[in-house]
Amino acid sequence: MDDMRAMLESDAPEEGWIMGQGFEDMPKQAAEGLRPPPLRDDCFALPAGVDWTPVDEALEMLRARLHPVVGQEVLPIAASLGRVLSNDLKALRANPPEANTAVDGYGFAHAALGEGDQVMPLAEGRSAAGAPFDGAVPPGHAVRVLTGAALPGGVDTVILQEDVTLGDGAIAFRAGIKPGANTRKAGEDVEAGEVILEAGRVLTPADLALCAAVGVHEMPVYKRLKVAVISTGDELRDPGQAVENGQIFDANRPMLGGLIQRFGHDLIDMGRVPDDRAALQRTLDQAIEKADVILTSGGASAGDEDHVSALLNEAGAMAEWRIAVKPGRPLALGLWQGVPVFGLPGNPVAAMVCTLVFARPAMRLMAGGKWQEPQGFSLPAAFEKKKKPGRREYLRARVRDGQAEVFKSEGSGRISGLSWAEGLVELPDGAAHITPGTPVRYIPFSSFE
Ligand code: AMP
Ligand code: MG
């Protein structure tokens, strides 16, 4: 217990948390109770005097200042899909654990083969998966083997059953088989003790197969990041409610909730609040009781009814991030009693782009994951566009016939274009003149998960 306290009180470097260093030998219960240190008060501060922060600089600041904010637990393999590993995992066993046959056929020692076509007597018995041959096969003899069976002693090569003629107690086959043919060596895939997966990895179905194969069954993972979503605006009504003139349905909350779930976090739906500072304050106070991170939409700029930025400003822990990006007005980033708040723009298109580009990698780090650049690729444009220098632009896009198409309108209120799109085209910060055929960077939405 004293060790634990010392660890919590120490100024352990953040990387220690990220890599799970020092926790390898800790008893399970102790590791589960552990909470990482809080974020620093100034983690969202921007350098003074900078007018519009380029996207890459803003991302670099998030990357440098954020760290995991969730505790850890140990789960069985089947429950760990999509979770973030908190420690490096090592193979407890090799894969394959022993040399075996990759096909159904006959095994023998290659060194005992003579010149030319072969006739070999068969040893009594066989080796099947899970039922190995007992003993060793004498040189010059072959034995029946079935896929996955351990190679019996005296066997290093297997001939495919389709390539032999089976006679009475013997097989015949043509010359030319190579030593070791149709076999798998012990540890040829993974050696025992090898690091198979690193801390920060988001576990995939294939990872679960790998862990199972090498004998790992207890998965050290971070607890899920709990993300509260709040919509703000007097004009908003919930889907299904009656609407009057001047009112619109809250489209951001279902969208942001969907993104949070896709990212593998726990969604905490805090509903919507009117443009009223006291109501918003109450909702933020409730949200920090339940959540590790808060996403709000609307009210994030500097207008009369922009209460998210006003409240965060009052709390003294806010930075208005004027990021040189389109779509996206200023992002309000701040801490509400130590809990990070991403004040997203109200426009659904801007809210989604800002979530994908900024909130997603930030939340991944806070969830214990690694910083992850979305993987895009270069495709010829199917459109023409003249772009001014000064800010990076994200266009709603999709791929058809190997070319990147963009939505017919760039209006940031056009929700149908978000739904039409299957990804984003990212245009660089500088000026650009795109004509059909110009290579552009396309990032599928799936790369943002
Ligand atoms: P705001 O950032 O609050 O000034 O909002 C910008 C625009 O986005 C306005 O047209 C709002 O009506 C709209 N808006 C804000 N929140 C939502 C929402 N949750 N769903 C749909 N539209 C929204
Ligand atoms: Mg508003």
Side-chain angles (χ1 to χ4, degrees):
M1 204 49 219
D2 280 338
D3 286 346
M4 287 257 319
R5 207 165 287 134
M7 202 176 294
L8 286 174
E9 285 167 3
S10 78
D11 286 321
E14 284 168 11
E15 300 78 60
W17 284 99
I18 294 167
M19 299 309 292
Q21 281 161 12
F23 301 118
E24 296 87 355
D25 302 323
M26 188 180 287
K28 202 162 118 183
Q29 315 84 288
E32 287 191 4
L34 210 55
R35 292 277 307 179
L39 297 175
R40 292 167 53 113
D41 279 353
D42 59 354
C43 70
F44 291 132
L46 284 177
V50 176
D51 204 12
W52 289 94
T53 308
V55 173
D56 286 339
E57 264 177 48
L59 289 174
E60 198 42 53
M61 274 187 278
L62 291 173
R63 177 183 194 159
R65 295 176 190 175
L66 296 176
H67 63 76
V69 298
V70 287
Q72 302 174 16
E73 60 186 329
V74 176
L75 293 178
I77 288 188
S80 65
L81 182 67
R83 290 302 200 93
V84 183
L85 265 188
S86 59
N87 297 53
D88 290 354
L89 281 184
K90 288 184 182 161
L92 300 178
R93 200 180 191 216
N95 183 50
E98 49 196 349
N100 66 37
T101 169
V103 299
D104 290 342
Y106 298 87
F108 49 82
H110 192 272
L113 291 182
E115 293 282 301
D117 293 345
Q118 306 290 318
V119 177
M120 278 186 140
L122 280 176
E124 196 72 23
R126 62 171 204 169
S127 190
F133 181 81
D134 204 11
V137 176
H141 286 62
V143 69
R144 177 74 169 138
V145 293
L146 298 175
T147 305
L151 292 188
V155 170
D156 60 16
T157 303
V158 172
I159 186 152
L160 204 60
Q161 67 184 23
E162 288 82 351
D163 292 344
V164 307
T165 310
L166 181 61
D168 191 16
I171 53 169
F173 54 93
R174 297 245 178 247
I177 188 161
K178 298 208 164 61
N182 299 314
T183 65
R184 306 167 179 145
K185 291 182 191 56
E188 71 173 20
D189 181 28
V190 181
E191 303 271 13
E194 206 178 295
V195 172
I196 48 165
L197 295 171
E198 287 182 12
R201 167 107 181 163
V202 179
L203 293 164
T204 66
D207 293 342
L208 306 194
L210 176 59
C211 291
V214 299
V216 173
H217 68 283
E218 289 194 318
M219 311 290 279
V221 295
Y222 285 102
K223 293 188 173 168
R224 278 190 203 279
L225 187 76
K226 296 193 284 287
V227 183
V229 174
I230 305 170
S231 289
T232 72
D234 284 341
E235 73 279 32
L236 301 180
R237 288 294 174 271
D238 291 335
Q241 281 186 324
V243 273
E244 291 167 15
N245 280 349
Q247 297 180 331
I248 61 170
F249 292 114
D250 177 0
N252 287 346
R253 202 146 45 93
M255 174 179 74
L256 295 174
L259 288 169
I260 295 309
Q261 286 169 287
R262 281 265 170 99
F263 298 156
H265 308 313
D266 262 354
L267 170 65
I268 300 173
D269 185 349
M270 297 298 296
R272 57 183 173 76
V273 290
D275 288 315
D276 173 273
R277 209 160 295 191
L280 179 60
Q281 181 157 2
R282 273 195 305 278
T283 308
L284 288 176
D285 284 342
Q286 286 161 6
I288 57 172
E289 294 297 319
K290 304 178 184 170
D292 303 306
V293 182
I294 301 171
L295 298 189
T296 66
S297 70
S301 18
D304 296 350
E305 296 298 344
D306 289 323
H307 299 288
V308 174
S309 40
L311 263 179
L312 290 174
N313 253 329
E314 269 172 30
M318 130 121 187
E320 195 170 274
W321 282 45
R322 290 153 58 84
I323 301 172
V325 64
K326 184 182 169 193
R329 282 184 306 172
L331 264 185
L333 288 189
L335 293 176
W336 189 255
Q337 310 207 15
V339 176
V341 181
F342 283 80
L344 301 162
N347 270 309
V349 176
M352 179 151 157
V353 168
C354 287
T355 302
L356 295 178
V357 175
F358 301 106
R360 177 202 61 97
M363 289 190 292
R364 173 64 61 84
L365 272 193
M366 290 189 278
K370 293 187 176 167
W371 186 263
Q372 194 207 8
E373 308 281 344
Q375 294 300 305
F377 43 90
S378 181
L379 284 178
F383 60 95
E384 165 151 26
K385 181 179 163 68
K386 275 208 174 95
K387 179 191 169 298
K388 294 197 201 95
R391 51 184 186 164
R392 187 167 300 183
E393 282 191 37
Y394 292 93
L395 308 177
R396 282 150 282 176
R398 62 182 197 182
V399 180
R400 290 292 180 272
D401 301 325
Q403 299 190 319
E405 296 180 347
V406 295
F407 191 58
K408 60 185 186 225
S409 157
E410 291 183 18
S412 68
R414 300 265 193 139
I415 302 176
S416 71
L418 272 183
S419 169
W420 171 93
E422 294 164 7
L424 299 173
V425 157
E426 182 186 66
L427 299 179
D429 299 357
H433 184 191
I434 314 287
T435 53
T438 307
V440 290
R441 182 163 193 248
Y442 175 78
I443 311 171
F445 284 145
S446 58
S447 287
F448 286 105
E449 280 167 17

